[in-house]
Amino acid sequence: MPPVLEVHNLHVYYYTLRGIVRAVEDVSFSLERGEVLGIAGESGCGKSTLAWSLLKLVPPPGRITKGRIIIDGEDITSMSEAEVRRRVRWQKISMVFQGAMNALNPVYKVWEQIAEPLIIHKGYSRQEAYKRVVEALNMVGLSEDIANRYPHELSGGQKQRVVIAMALILEPPIVIADEPTTALDTIIQAQILNLLKELKNKLNMSIILISHDLSVIAELADKVAIMYAGKIVEYGPSEEVYNHPQHPYTQELLKAIPRLRAPRMKLNYIPGQPPDLRAPPPGCRFHPRCPHVMDKCRKEQPPYFEVGPGHYAACWLHEGKPATEKPIKESSA
Ligand code: SF4
């Protein structure tokens, strides 16, 4: 079965008064049906821009400048905004936005906000839509009385569940969850991750889980893409990436995770700052911070080296292994 989503050589730039910000550059990956892909990296590495671009919702002055996004065999990059709104957004791909409170309109009741796509896209009457909303609320573990409340009457965990119900209301095959557990306490975080796991199995949906927190991604993801400065630097099965990271950036990120059961030791951190994406460093973008930097890294951008089955790292340390320009095959679409 072909992947439900393929992204090929995607470039997203912001044309600001202070220069062109190359937020996402030459990003390629694929997503199978029922699969969870985790996208991880530091703040500002382009994760959220990548997510918005998949819905063609990049805020101005940003835009997709190059590349293809293929959803269910259809290239959406060339579609008009009206067509994307009518046929793709919320129906084929939807998003659980970062910060549940900001994603909800404070002046509408919960049910009215969830019902909107049903009324607009599916022609439901208000009564039919209300019934369907209650079902969706039940599915995410909320009772009917939540439907008639305003967002300020809900707890953080309830708001996050409402936002998930909203993303699922048209049963899209792909859901993007952008930092779905940020600002929630640990117990609620675990509940939300379990909920996503249950829904994924029940609905066989594909999820793109975006987080700066590798432990959140480890809970759910089948595959992981590690982003640094607008590019994917390592991509592969999550067990492989976590247990045998092959890119120095991934290795440093994993060392920076505090471990509860490990002996007490000084926490590791990656010295330096991510680069200014208006003028990223030449060669490997990680070279100013890399403990293994070589001369070549400062001049030439590494391709993806296949370091294991389906596991790729864009790092010159693996020169000699099979190399490719992107970690997925060209589709026929
Ligand atoms: Fe470090 Fe060079 Fe590999 Fe980049 S290519 S991660 S600078 S060793």
Side-chain angles (χ1 to χ4, degrees), residues 90-267:
W90 308 125
Q91 313 207 45
K92 292 197 168 179
I93 182 164
S94 71
M95 184 151 164
V96 176
F97 286 95
Q98 207 179 118
M101 195 59 212
N102 303 334
L104 295 168
N105 189 328
V107 298
Y108 286 101
K109 287 182 178 170
V110 163
W111 86 265
E112 291 169 319
Q113 305 191 43
I114 303 179
E116 204 179 282
L118 290 170
I119 296 168
I120 293 174
H121 290 288
K122 299 281 181 196
Y124 278 47
S125 67
R126 281 176 68 82
Q127 288 81 351
E128 286 166 341
Y130 179 83
K131 240 176 99 187
R132 177 71 192 94
V133 167
V134 172
E135 282 168 18
L137 287 173
N138 291 163
M139 190 168 69
V140 297
L142 295 173
S143 56
E144 184 175 351
D145 70 299
I146 298 289
N148 283 301
R149 292 200 205 164
Y150 289 93
H152 72 270
E153 297 175 299
L154 308 179
S155 69
Q158 287 171 330
K159 274 185 264 200
Q160 196 59 34
R161 285 171 190 265
V162 166
V163 173
I164 294 172
M166 235 166 159
L168 296 181
I169 194 74
L170 296 185
E171 298 180 6
I174 310 167
V175 173
I176 302 172
D178 187 7
E179 304 277 6
T181 55
T182 304
L184 298 176
D185 66 50
T186 342
I187 292 173
I188 308 293
Q189 266 190 27
Q191 287 175 0
I192 295 294
L193 288 177
N194 281 337
L195 172 66
L196 286 172
K197 225 183 267 180
E198 272 170 39
L199 292 172
K200 182 215 131 180
N201 293 336
K202 196 163 160 191
L203 307 173
N204 192 32
M205 62 185 185
S206 310
I207 301 179
I208 297 180
L209 177 63
I210 295 182
S211 181
H212 64 279
D213 186 342
L214 280 165
S215 54
V216 165
I217 288 187
E219 279 287 317
L220 271 186
D222 304 300
K223 269 196 313 213
V224 182
I226 306 289
M227 277 188 88
Y228 182 76
K231 286 177 169 282
I232 290 179
V233 294
E234 183 158 1
Y235 177 79
S238 59
E239 265 194 51
E240 274 300 302
V241 175
Y242 278 93
N243 295 331
H244 309 287
Q246 297 295 319
H247 193 282
Y249 177 60
T250 318
Q251 291 163 354
E252 296 300 311
L253 270 186
L254 286 168
K255 278 192 228 157
I257 299 179
R259 306 203 184 256
L260 277 180
R261 291 187 186 87
R264 278 171 68 127
M265 54 193 277
K266 229 174 137 189
L267 259 190

Side-chain angles (χ1 to χ4, degrees), residues 247-249 284 286-287 290-294 297 302 314-317:
H247 193 282
Y249 177 60
C284 169
F286 188 54
H287 85 248
C290 180
H292 308 287
V293 61
M294 303 172 281
C297 312
C315 171
W316 285 120
L317 291 174

Side-chain angles (χ1 to χ4, degrees), residues 59-98:
R63 62 172 189 265
I64 297 173
T65 57
K66 206 172 149 192
R68 293 188 304 148
I69 299 167
I70 299 162
I71 296 180
D72 247 347
E74 263 195 299
D75 187 348
I76 66 154
T77 22
S78 50
M79 281 185 189
S80 67
E81 167 58 22
E83 204 176 356
V84 171
R85 205 180 310 149
R86 188 166 51 83
R87 295 182 41 221
V88 179
R89 213 176 282 145
W90 308 125
Q91 313 207 45
K92 292 197 168 179
I93 182 164
S94 71
M95 184 151 164
V96 176
F97 286 95
Q98 207 179 118

